Amino acid sequence: MVSAAAIGGLALLTLLGARVDRAAAVPEEETWRGADRVDVQLDLIEAMIQQGAIASALQGITALRAEGMENERLDMLQAQALLAAGQPSDALSILERSRAKSVERYRLLGLTHLDMGAPELAVEAFQRAIRAAKRDVDSRELASLHNNLGFALSAVGDYDAAMLVYREALRLDPASARARNNLGFALAAKGEDDEALAAFRLGQPAGLSEDDREANALYNLGLAQQGRGEVHAAVLSYSKAVQTQPGHRDAQTALNSLVGSAPSPLSPELPSLPSPPNLPGGPVKLTLAVVALAALCACSSPKHLTYDHGRSYHEAFDTQTDLTRPSVKDAVYPLSGAEALLIRKAVEEKSTDEESGEAEATDTLD
């Protein structure tokens, strides 16, 4: 078995002051006693990943491998950690080597394929995850998988199918703000702005004022319009958002970025969006760029941009992240969703935050 120094020490340092549920409830001297404590070791690895200590989690996994541990859960944890560390190729190798027909394996395969620019393969993986999930998961998890499938379908440009899937996600979990907002972006991609705005309004969290809800919805609509190249429509939506809620910094920033560069009415095209890294050429790039804007605002209430967290919005991903953790550019930042990992690439390659000291709106893939 792995010694406490090899992995228990890492866990105790990493999780000091954090709630680790079952793993934290086990006394240290009991944690590493006998083969029956394998589950606790894996709980600690999982807790490291959840707390953002990806490097420590990978060290612990390496130690467990060195002791001869081989099981499906360890494979899935390693793949998740590698995705969070920005190593999707290595994660894919582990997932393809596994022959498990589990929900988690298919879910991670879908996220990995999205991250590597293969949305068609992601669609297939998420469909398999849903088929497997119907046997043993609750409705909210099933709704989350449908949301992922809808995102992948949007990435290949099949917005009609994506809308059907998002609506199924909402049937399973009517409170899912991500599915509601993603539905809005799919509607907007087809030019159905009125319906999209209605979806964005319904996708706001409880407790917001009416002005905040309306401003957030208008801001989301502006992002969708900007993503499909309609600068003047986006400027109008951003302007309405600022008029509704003068303190809406994201809408003001987006508006400022467009007002000085908006083309004349005779030439309404938006300048080409930067091509996302490591994605295939042709229409897929534009489609994913549009979908990226959806991912950035798939949360119900856009989080103000800050230097530390770049363009990562709270609750934008199905695999939750904690924005109190290190910078999105750091390898230890626990981004495990494909959308989140694409944000990291965009921040590393295109962000001007570090240069200016302030967040700026950019047309980059999440």
Side-chain angles (χ1 to χ4, degrees), residues 130 146-147 149-150 153 160-170:
I130 289 170
H146 277 82
N147 185 61
L149 175 58
L153 288 166
D160 290 325
M163 286 188 285
L164 290 174
V165 172
Y166 287 138
R167 289 190 170 104
E168 175 63 11
L170 290 168

Side-chain angles (χ1 to χ4, degrees), residues 295-306:
L296 287 176
C297 271
C299 57
S300 53
S301 176
K303 181 178 175 63
H304 292 321
L305 298 179
T306 63

Side-chain angles (χ1 to χ4, degrees), residues 248 264 287:
H248 202 295
S264 69
T287 300

Side-chain angles (χ1 to χ4, degrees), residues 52-63:
I54 304 303
S56 295
L58 288 171
Q59 290 177 32
I61 291 169
T62 299

